[in-house]
Amino acid sequence: MDSFLGLFDPGEGEETQLPPEPQLGNVEYKLKLVNPSKHRFEHLVTQLKWRLREGRGEAIYEIGVEDSGLLTGLSDEDMSDSLETLELMARRLGATTTILRKRTVDTGRQVAEVLIRKVPDDQHNIEVRVAVMGSADAGKSTLLGVLTQGQLDNGRGRARLNMFRHLHEVQSGRTSSISHEILGFNSQGEVINYSELVTAEEICENSTKLITFMDLAGHRKYLRTTVQGLSGYLPHYVMLVVSGRAGVLGMTKEHLQLAIALDVPFFVTITKTDLGSPEETLRCLQVILKSPGCLRVPFLVKNEDDVITAGSNQLADNIVPIFLVSSVNGEGLELLTRFLHVLPPGISHKEKERLEQEPCEFQIDECFRVPDVGPVVGGLLTKGMVNEGTKLLLGPFDDGEFVPVEVQSIHRNKAPCRSVRASQSASLGLDCAPITLRSGMVLLSLDVHPTGCLFFQATVCVLFHSTAIHPGFQTTVHIGPVRQTAVIEGIMAVGGIHTNEKASVLFRFLRHPEYVRVGMRLFFREGTTKGIGKITQVFPFQVVAA
C-alpha cells in the first residue's frame, strides 16, 4: 500500500496515474457507475461485499479511476450519478458511505475517494484498540482527556483528571496503571464522546466505529505494567506521544523499541506545540525513524489529504504518520481525530470468523472483587465466544489444575452486554468461591483439557545484552497476560547467546505454573537486556510426590 502515498496529493498537480488496481484488499477502482442494469447492479453489490470482507468492514472506492490507475475523471453530472449508485449499493448491504475527498484532474474532470463502512450484523460497531505510549509528562493522559471529553485543557492538567484510576495518580499527575477510554464516530465521521453523551453505553450504541484507547504508564518504574498492557491486550496500533517541549527522551526510545519488537503498527503525536516550536523534536524523531534499527518513513500530516493518505498506508510497516497537536489551543486535534476515523480495523473479517469458531480462551489481565457482585476479571478474549451463563475452566492454580466456573455477567466499555466475541476485551463476573485470582490466569472452554506448565522451550532472538546470556540467567518474561520471572535452564548454543543471535532456550517459571501454548509470542527483559521469541514446546506441570 505504500505506493498510494502520493494519492490525491494536491501538491502533485501533474500526477495523473495511480498504481494498478490491487486484486486483493479493500481498494476498488471504478471509472463510473452511471445507470447500471439490474444484472450489473447485483454484480457491483457482490463485488462491494467482497471488498468489505477484505477490509474488515471498510472499503475504499476510487471513482473516476480506470483499472490501470489512470485518473480519467468524470463530469459533475456523471460523478453525481456514480456517487448515488454507490450509495444504493451500500444501502443494499446495510453499509454507509462517506466522501473522504475529491480532486479535479488536469482535464477539469473530478475524481473522488469514498469510504464505505458496514458494521457486522452481530456487533454494534467496528472496534479498533490503540495503546497510548510515551515518556512521563509527554501529555498522554491530557490528550486522551481532550479527545474523549471534548473539552480543551486549561494548561495545568485539568483534562487528564478523568483518566486517572488511583488517588496517587491524581496527586502525582502520572499514570501508574492501565486505563481504558473510548472515542466513537457515527456513520458520517462525526465525533461521539462525553461532551454529547453521558455514559459509555450511549457512546457505544450511537457509534459505528469505536476507538478503545489504553492509556499506559510512561515512567520507567512502571515499565513492567506498560509491557504487560502491550503484550496482554494485543492492541491493533500504538500511538507514541512525544512532548514537543522535552523532545525524544530515553523512555520514548524504549517504548518505540517495544512497538517494533512486538510488531505493532504505530504513529506519532507530538504534543505541547503551543509552548514553542517542535521543529527540533520533529527533526530528532525523523532521524530515529530512519535509523538502521527502525527503517521507517516519517510522514508529517499537514492537511486532510495527508490524513487520508496516512490512514490508507497505516498497515504498511514502513510508513509512520506524525501529527503536531496542542491540547490547550486545539491545534492539530481535528486532523488526529479524522485519522482515527479512517484508521483501518486491525483484524480481517475472515480471521475473526475463524477465531470465533475455536474453543474459548479468555486471558485475564486484571482481577477485582466487587461488593454484592463477587469476583470480576478483566482481559481479552482471544478465541471463541462467551455468553452469560457460559461454563468455563479457570486456572492454572499452584498445583497446575483448573476449576470450573460460570460467567454471571459481562461488561464491555463500561456497559453491560450479553456476549463477547474473539478479539474483544471485556470484564466478566464469575460465580467462583473466594479463591485466589491473579493476573495471567485464563478462562478456557470445557472442551479442552488444559494444564499449567513450569518448563517451556522457545526460539529467541536477543535484541540487546552487554555480554553473553548463559544458563542460570534470570529475566522477566511476558507471554500474553503472563508476567513472571523465569530462569534459563538450558541454551542450545555454544558459549551462550549474544546480541542479534538466535537460539533455542529452555525456560523455567520460578513462582508458579502458567498456561502457555506453542506459537505464543514471548518478550523478556531485565535491565537493558531485551529479547523476543516464540514458544516451540510446552512441558505439562507435574506435582512431585513427597
Side-chain angles (χ1 to χ4, degrees):
M1 288 293 292
D2 43 328
S3 55
F4 286 88
L5 192 57
L7 184 63
F8 283 72
D9 186 352
E12 300 288 342
E14 301 300 321
E15 184 67 45
T16 60
Q17 182 76 36
L18 295 180
E21 180 185 60
Q23 297 300 312
L24 302 177
N26 68 331
V27 179
E28 178 73 29
Y29 295 172
K30 289 298 176 190
L31 179 58
K32 62 180 178 179
L33 299 169
V34 178
N35 296 325
S37 64
K38 184 176 180 180
H39 178 75
R40 171 65 175 163
F41 183 80
E42 294 299 330
H43 173 74
L44 291 171
V45 170
T46 302
Q47 192 177 50
L48 171 58
K49 186 177 182 179
W50 186 81
R51 290 294 188 185
L52 286 169
R53 288 177 63 88
E54 284 285 293
R56 311 144 187 119
E58 294 184 346
I60 301 290
Y61 267 60
E62 312 291 355
I63 307 298
V65 182
E66 297 186 19
D67 290 346
S68 64
L70 182 65
L71 302 181
T72 303
L74 297 175
S75 65
D76 292 346
E77 183 179 354
D78 284 349
M79 177 60 73
S80 178
D81 290 344
S82 296
L83 293 176
E84 184 177 346
T85 300
L86 190 59
E87 173 69 27
L88 292 173
M89 292 162 51
R91 198 179 304 166
R92 169 70 69 86
L93 297 175
T96 59
T97 61
T98 304
I99 299 176
L100 298 178
R101 50 186 169 176
K102 288 185 177 181
R103 172 185 164 184
T104 302
V105 293
D106 294 341
T107 59
R109 293 169 169 255
Q110 288 187 330
V111 291
E113 186 171 35
V114 183
L115 170 67
I116 304 172
R117 176 175 295 155
K118 183 184 186 303
V119 178
D121 297 332
D122 56 359
Q123 298 180 34
H124 290 299
N125 42 55
I126 296 171
E127 183 181 15
V128 178
R129 293 191 301 276
V130 178
V132 183
M133 304 178 68
S135 63
D137 303 322
K140 300 184 296 298
S141 299
T142 299
L143 176 60
L144 287 190
V146 171
L147 290 174
T148 59
Q149 302 297 322
Q151 294 182 348
L152 295 176
D153 187 51
N154 63 353
R156 296 187 296 276
R158 179 182 62 189
R160 70 188 178 193
L161 295 180
N162 290 314
M163 304 297 106
F164 294 145
R165 301 173 60 187
H166 305 291
L167 178 60
H168 71 267
E169 293 179 325
V170 177
Q171 293 171 339
S172 67
R174 288 178 175 172
T175 302
S176 64
S177 60
I178 303 171
S179 64
H180 298 256
E181 297 298 330
I182 57 174
L183 177 68
F185 296 93
N186 63 17
S187 59
Q188 303 304 314
E190 298 168 341
V191 173
I192 299 178
N193 55 26
Y194 289 105
S195 66
E196 300 291 336
L197 301 173
V198 177
T199 66
E201 186 174 8
E202 291 177 324
I203 293 177
C204 294
E205 289 178 352
N206 290 275
S207 302
T208 58
K209 186 168 188 175
L210 198 68
I211 307 294
T212 301
F213 293 107
M214 290 172 285
D215 188 12
L216 303 180
H219 198 277
R220 179 170 291 278
K221 71 189 233 180
Y222 304 121
L223 183 58
R224 288 186 301 173
T225 302
T226 299
V227 176
Q228 185 179 16
L230 193 62
S231 172
Y233 279 100
L234 302 177
H236 301 134
Y237 302 95
V238 163
M239 178 167 71
L240 185 67
V241 180
V242 182
S243 170
R245 189 178 188 184
V248 179
L249 304 178
M251 284 306 297
T252 308
K253 298 177 182 178
E254 186 93 23
H255 287 182
L256 176 62
Q257 291 171 357
L258 281 175
I260 295 173
L262 295 175
D263 197 25
V264 184
F266 64 95
F267 58 97
V268 180
T269 302
I270 299 178
T271 60
K272 304 183 182 182
T273 57
D274 57 292
L275 298 178
S277 173
E279 289 301 322
E280 180 60 27
T281 300
L282 181 60
R283 185 195 64 78
C284 181
L285 189 63
Q286 290 173 333
V287 169
I288 293 173
L289 291 175
K290 294 177 181 178
S291 65
C294 192
L295 294 178
R296 300 298 197 274
V297 178
F299 180 51
L300 181 60
V301 177
K302 300 177 181 178
N303 51 50
E304 192 162 323
D305 276 328
D306 290 344
V307 168
I308 310 303
T309 300
S312 301
N313 288 273
Q314 183 54 49
L315 289 177
D317 289 340
N318 59 333
I319 304 298
V320 179
I322 301 176
F323 297 85
L324 303 177
V325 305
S326 168
S327 297
V328 175
N329 61 28
E331 178 187 357
L333 290 178
E334 187 175 345
L335 295 178
L336 179 59
T337 54
R338 184 70 169 166
F339 173 73
L340 293 170
H341 169 242
V342 300
L343 199 59
I347 182 171
S348 69
H349 186 75
K350 185 183 298 183
E351 175 69 7
K352 191 172 188 302
E353 284 185 340
R354 185 188 68 80
L355 291 174
E356 288 178 3
Q357 300 302 317
E358 295 191 11
C360 167
E361 181 180 309
F362 184 89
Q363 299 180 345
I364 298 175
D365 189 72
E366 294 181 291
C367 304
F368 313 93
R369 193 162 290 276
V370 181
D372 301 325
V373 175
V376 176
V377 296
L380 178 71
L381 183 65
T382 57
K383 298 179 181 179
M385 179 176 174
V386 175
N387 301 312
E388 287 183 348
T390 299
K391 291 180 171 59
L392 300 169
L393 294 174
L394 171 66
F397 292 91
D398 289 347
D399 58 358
E401 295 301 316
F402 289 71
V403 299
V405 296
E406 183 176 323
V407 178
Q408 301 285 356
S409 61
I410 302 175
H411 278 70
R412 292 196 64 242
N413 300 313
K414 305 176 184 177
C417 61
R418 293 295 181 90
S419 64
V420 57
R421 297 173 178 273
S423 79
Q424 294 180 342
S425 56
S427 296
L428 309 181
L430 306 178
D431 71 335
C432 57
I435 55 179
T436 303
L437 296 175
R438 59 175 172 78
S439 172
M441 284 183 165
V442 292
L443 288 164
L444 300 173
S445 171
L446 296 176
D447 297 333
V448 300
H449 302 284
T451 181
C453 82
L454 281 178
F455 291 86
F456 64 93
Q457 194 166 326
T459 301
V460 302
C461 175
V462 179
L463 301 178
F464 177 80
H465 186 66
S466 55
T467 55
I469 294 178
H470 299 279
F473 180 78
Q474 291 188 11
T475 179
T476 301
V477 173
H478 298 264
I479 309 171
V482 173
R483 182 185 71 189
Q484 190 182 153
T485 301
V487 61
I488 293 179
E489 295 287 353
I491 301 176
M492 286 58 173
V494 179
I497 47 177
H498 301 73
T499 300
N500 293 329
E501 290 184 349
K502 290 184 178 181
S504 183
V505 176
L506 179 66
F507 289 91
R508 174 175 60 87
F509 289 121
L510 283 185
R511 294 197 299 274
H512 46 68
E514 301 282 8
Y515 176 77
V516 296
R517 291 179 288 101
V518 172
M520 294 183 74
R521 291 178 63 91
L522 172 149
F523 179 83
F524 65 88
R525 56 171 293 277
E526 190 63 40
T528 58
T529 300
K530 301 183 189 68
I532 57 175
K534 184 173 288 188
I535 296 178
T536 56
Q537 190 172 0
V538 175
F539 303 94
F541 178 73
Q542 295 180 346
V543 179
V544 180

